[in-house]
Amino acid sequence: MNKEKKFILPEKEIPTQWYNIMADMKNKPKPLLNPATREAIKPEDLYPVFNEECSKQELNTTDVWIDIPEEVRDKYKIYRSTPMVRAYELEKALDTPAHIYFKNESVSPVGSHKLNSALAQAYYCKKQGITNITTETGAGQWGTALSFAAKAFGLELAVYMVKISFEQKPYRRSLMQAWGAHVIASPSMSTKAGRKILTENPKYQGSLGTAISEAIELALQTTNCKYTLGSVLNHVALHQTVIGLEAEKQMEMADDYPDVVIGCFGGGSNFSGISFPFMRHKINGDNNTRFVAAEPSSCPKLTRGVFQYDFGDEAGYTPLFPMYTLGHQFQPAHIHAGGLRYHGAGQIVSQLMNDNLMEAMDIPQLESFDAGILFAQTEGILPAPESNHAIAAAIREAKKAKEEGTKKTILFNLSGHGFVDMTAYDQYLSGDLTNYFLSDNDITKTTDLLEKII
Amino acid sequence: MNKEKKFILPEKEIPTQWYNIMADMKNKPKPLLNPATREAIKPEDLYPVFNEECSKQELNTTDVWIDIPEEVRDKYKIYRSTPMVRAYELEKALDTPAHIYFKNESVSPVGSHKLNSALAQAYYCKKQGITNITTETGAGQWGTALSFAAKAFGLELAVYMVKISFEQKPYRRSLMQAWGAHVIASPSMSTKAGRKILTENPKYQGSLGTAISEAIELALQTTNCKYTLGSVLNHVALHQTVIGLEAEKQMEMADDYPDVVIGCFGGGSNFSGISFPFMRHKINGDNNTRFVAAEPSSCPKLTRGVFQYDFGDEAGYTPLFPMYTLGHQFQPAHIHAGGLRYHGAGQIVSQLMNDNLMEAMDIPQLESFDAGILFAQTEGILPAPESNHAIAAAIREAKKAKEEGTKKTILFNLSGHGFVDMTAYDQYLSGDLTNYFLSDNDITKTTDLLEKII
C-alpha cells in the first residue's frame, strides 16, 4: 500500500483516448427516436443542432476507444492530470476502517470537471468551421467551462442561464463574462420558447429544460452556429471518461482498488466520467465493484422516476430519449445544487440502471451540506453543493463499513469547488436551509403525462 | 529544454526545510526597536503576543535552514507541490520571445499561498499548548487560510476583518465561517483601539493597521491566546520560501532559469516566498537575476515611500520596524487588491531594497485588471486582484523582451485565484473601475510625521 496522500500522473500519462462504454455494453441503450416519425435517429439527423463529430460519437456503439485530438489533449495539460487524493483526515473524523479516495476535478481553472467536455466540443466546432455556439447553464458550471473553452478556440458563445441562478449567482455570471461570453437570463424574450413561457407565467424562475429549448432555438436561427450541451448526452459522458481513466492509473499508483465508486448525479456527466472506465471490468465479469449515483431527494429520477421515452427539454425540441425521468414538465425545488435539478438521466446510465449494473441513493439537502462542511473542515476543500451529494454518499458507505467492521475502498468524484456558491453555505450556516421531499403524487403528476413507449 | 506545460514535484520532493535569507544577508536587517526604550527587541519581548517558536524565527539571523515540522509538512501534502506552469498561451498572445512561467499557488484549498504560513503558525501555537488565536484580514485571503489551519490543528480563531471587505466580500466571510472561525468587522466596539477610532470617525471603513491593533489587543486580553500575522514579519517570509524552493527544483525540471522573478507586493509574504531562494545565489555572487516587487500605484511604499522606523499598526502597539513606509497613518484608496493596501514593507525586504538587491514597479489598477483578464482568457485561471499586479509586471517585462529582441526567462508567482473577488471583475467589465494616483503631498502628509531614527 502506497501511503502518499496525493497521486498525480506525469503529463505523458494523460490519456490519449476516451473510453466508449456503449461498445462494451451487452444491452445497448435503446435508440433515440424522432418524435414525429418514431424512427431511430441517425447522426445526420443531429447535424442541424450539433457539430458532426459529436453527432457521430453520440451514436457510436462500436468503437471502444476514441482518440482525443492532440489540440484538446494540449489544453487538458493546463490542469490534468487532476490529483487523486487519499482523504486521511476525513477517515479519521469518521473513525472508519474504510479507505476513502477522491478525484479532485475542482483544480480545473473553471473549478469543475465540465471543462473536459467543453474543450472537446469547442474544438470539434472550430474544426468544422463553425464560428458561434450556444448553450444553457443551470448552476453555472457548464457555462463557465464553455466560456473558457470557446475563448481558447476562438468561438463566440451565447449562454442561456436559468433565471434564478442568474439572479442568485452574479459571481457566476461575471466569471462567464470575464472569459468573454454573452450571458442571457432564461426564460428570455429572445426566443419563441422563452416568450411563450414568459407570457403564460411572467414570474417563472426558469429551468434547465427551458434554457435548453432557448439555446437550441437560437442555434437553429443563427448562421454557422451550433448548440452544445454539458451533460446527459453520450458524447459528453465519453469526454468525461478521462476522469476515470486517470483514476484507474492513480489507483494502481496507490496500490489499491475501489469497492465502490460514487459520483453526484444531475444528467450524468461526472458520474459517467468517474465510473465507466471502472465499470468495463464489471461488464467483462472481472470484478464486482459497486457504482453509486448520488442524487438530491428533491429531484430523484433514478430512485423514483420511471424508465420511459421523454424529451430532453421543456419545449420538446429534442429527440425522444429512453431515460429514467420525472417527466420533462417536472419543476424541481430550488435547491442550491442547481446542477442536479434536471428531470432525466442520460440514455446510457438509464440502461445501466435498468440492467442493475449500478445503483442510486437520494440525499436530502441538509445531509449534503453537513457532509460538505465536514469535508471542508477535514480535507480543506470547500466543495460545490453538487459534489456534497457524492461526499454524503461516501460518508454513508464509510459509516456502514465501520458498523460492519469491514475494510472497504471508496472512490468518489469531487466534481467541483464551492467558492462561487458561498450564498448557499451562508444560508446553511445561518440555519436557513431546508430539505425538500416529494410525495408520490408530486412525481406521478408529471410522469403520468408521458406516453408509454417502452 | 523540457517542453512540458506543467511541472509538479513528487511528494518526497516537497521541501523539508525553509530558507532563512537573514543568515545569508551581508547587511543584516536593522533591529526591531522597543518604542519606549529604543532598545533592540529580543525574542522574549515578543512572547506575550506571538508563540515562542515564531518569535525565535523572527530574530534568527544565523541558521540558514530551518526544519519544517513533520506535522506541517504533512498538511502541505494536501496541496503541495503546487504546479509551476509554462504560460505558452500568454506568450503567444503577447508575441514575445520571452519564456513566461508562473508558480500556481492558487491551487491551495483556500485559494492562495497564505496557507503556507498559516499551517506553520497554527501548529507552533498548538504545540505550545495555546488554545485560542486572533488575527486580522484585509482582502480575506489570510483570514481564510488561517481559518482552515486553526481547524486543522484544533484551535479557536477570531478574525478582525477590515470593515469595507466585510461588507463588500460576504463570500470571504462565509468561507471563514465554513471553516469554523469567528469573524468580526473592524473597527469594532470589542477593543479599546476599535472604540477610539469609531468614536472619532464613526463611518471609518477600516484598514489593516486598525485591524492589527484590535487583534493584538484581544490576544493580550484573552487567556492562553496568541496573535498571528499573515505578512510583513520575517517568520512569515521564512515559511513562504517553500514556494521558491519548489520553483527552483521545477526550473531544473524545465531545464531553464529565471532572469527575472516577480511577485505582487503588499507586506511581502508571497514576493519573499518566490524570491528569496533564488536570491541566495545573487547574494553569493553566482548570478544576476532581477527581483521585482509589483505594488499598486495607490499604495507605493517601495517606489515612493521613505526608509525609516515606523509602527506596523495604526494604534502603535507593535515594535518599531525599519521599513519602506508611507507612514502608519496613511489611508490607502479602496482598490480591489485589498491585500496590497498596507503602509509598509517588511524588515528584510526593506533592507534588500536599500541594498539594491531587488527593485519595485508600481502598477495602476486598470493595468492590473487588463493583465488579469488577458491571463484568464489565455491560461484559463482567473487571478486574484493582488496577483494581477504580478501578471502586469510580467507582461511589461515580456513586452520589453519583444522590443529589445532578447530572449528572457520570466517567473512570477500567481499568489491566488479570483473566484471570491468577482465583484471587482464585475466593476472592471462594466467600466466602473478607476485608477488612483498620489501626489507627492499625499505621501509626505503621513511620512513627515515619522521620527527620523535612521
Side-chain angles (χ1 to χ4, degrees), chain B residues 86-107:
Chain B
R86 172 86 182 267
Y88 284 109
E89 297 301 322
L90 178 61
E91 290 173 16
K92 215 180 291 169
L94 296 170
D95 187 26
T96 176
H99 295 181
I100 307 177
Y101 295 86
F102 63 94
K103 180 73 171 157
N104 185 3
E105 290 291 304
S106 81
V107 301

Side-chain angles (χ1 to χ4, degrees), chain A residues 385-450:
Chain A
E386 290 80 7
S387 314
N388 284 346
H389 292 75
I391 301 171
I395 290 174
R396 285 190 191 177
E397 290 290 329
K399 286 182 173 168
K400 211 163 59 180
K402 185 183 175 186
E403 279 164 27
E404 296 168 354
T406 51
K407 189 201 144 305
K408 186 197 285 186
T409 296
I410 300 166
L411 169 66
F412 73 87
N413 194 34
L414 185 77
S415 57
H417 65 60
F419 284 120
V420 202
D421 301 286
M422 290 314 301
T423 314
Y425 282 94
D426 206 25
Q427 280 192 19
Y428 169 79
L429 292 166
S430 328
D432 289 343
L433 271 198
T434 48
N435 284 326
Y436 295 94
F437 295 109
L438 299 169
S439 70
D440 288 345
N441 191 42
D442 291 331
I443 292 172
T444 51
K445 210 159 54 182
T446 43
T447 53
D448 280 356
L449 299 174
L450 300 173

Side-chain angles (χ1 to χ4, degrees), chain B residues 9 13-15 244-254:
Chain B
L9 303 170
E13 297 268 343
I14 296 171
L245 291 167
E246 284 182 2
E248 207 184 353
K249 294 190 195 179
Q250 288 164 315
M251 273 289 167
E252 246 175 70
M253 289 170 78

Side-chain angles (χ1 to χ4, degrees), chain B residues 158-210:
Chain B
V159 181
Y160 286 93
M161 185 173 188
V162 176
K163 194 188 270 174
I164 190 166
S165 298
F166 187 90
E167 283 162 4
Q168 282 183 349
K169 301 190 170 191
Y171 278 27
R172 274 282 171 206
R173 190 186 356 131
S174 308
L175 259 178
M176 292 187 259
Q177 289 165 337
W179 278 304
H182 309 277
V183 187
I184 310 121
S186 166
S188 78
M189 296 301 280
S190 67
T191 65
K192 227 161 55 180
R195 283 193 295 275
K196 180 165 179 293
I197 288 165
L198 280 178
T199 309
E200 286 166 10
N201 182 356
K203 289 190 173 166
Y204 186 48
Q205 289 295 289
S207 72
L208 266 184
T210 306

Side-chain angles (χ1 to χ4, degrees), chain B residues 355-430:
Chain B
D355 291 345
N356 293 315
L357 281 158
M358 54 173 283
E359 58 196 278
M361 262 182 210
D362 65 309
I363 310 277
Q365 178 159 255
L366 286 173
E367 182 182 344
S368 76
F369 275 88
D370 290 344
I373 288 284
L374 178 62
F375 186 75
Q377 296 193 346
T378 50
E379 295 297 319
I381 303 166
L382 196 93
E386 290 81 7
S387 314
N388 284 346
H389 292 74
I391 300 170
I395 290 175
R396 285 191 191 177
E397 290 290 330
K399 284 183 174 168
K400 210 162 60 181
K402 186 183 175 186
E403 279 162 28
E404 296 168 354
T406 52
K407 190 199 146 301
K408 185 196 286 185
T409 296
I410 301 166
L411 169 65
F412 72 88
N413 194 34
L414 186 78
S415 57
H417 65 60
F419 283 120
V420 202
D421 301 287
M422 291 313 302
T423 313
Y425 281 96
D426 206 23
Q427 279 192 19
Y428 169 79
L429 293 166
S430 327

Side-chain angles (χ1 to χ4, degrees), chain B residues 47-112:
Chain B
Y47 291 174
V49 174
F50 295 100
N51 72 70
E52 295 182 8
E53 196 59 39
C54 288
S55 300
K56 287 177 197 154
Q57 290 174 352
E58 188 63 22
L59 302 175
N60 184 336
T61 56
T62 48
D63 301 315
V64 180
W65 298 100
I66 311 272
D67 286 345
I68 302 176
E70 202 39 59
E71 293 83 347
V72 174
R73 195 168 173 276
D74 196 56
K75 300 289 181 199
Y76 279 175
K77 292 177 190 167
I78 293 176
Y79 60 105
R80 309 209 68 86
S81 71
T82 64
M84 186 186 80
V85 184
R86 172 86 182 267
Y88 284 109
E89 297 301 322
L90 178 61
E91 290 173 16
K92 215 180 291 169
L94 296 170
D95 187 26
T96 176
H99 295 181
I100 307 177
Y101 295 86
F102 63 94
K103 180 73 171 157
N104 185 3
E105 290 291 304
S106 81
V107 301
S108 120
V110 301
S112 84

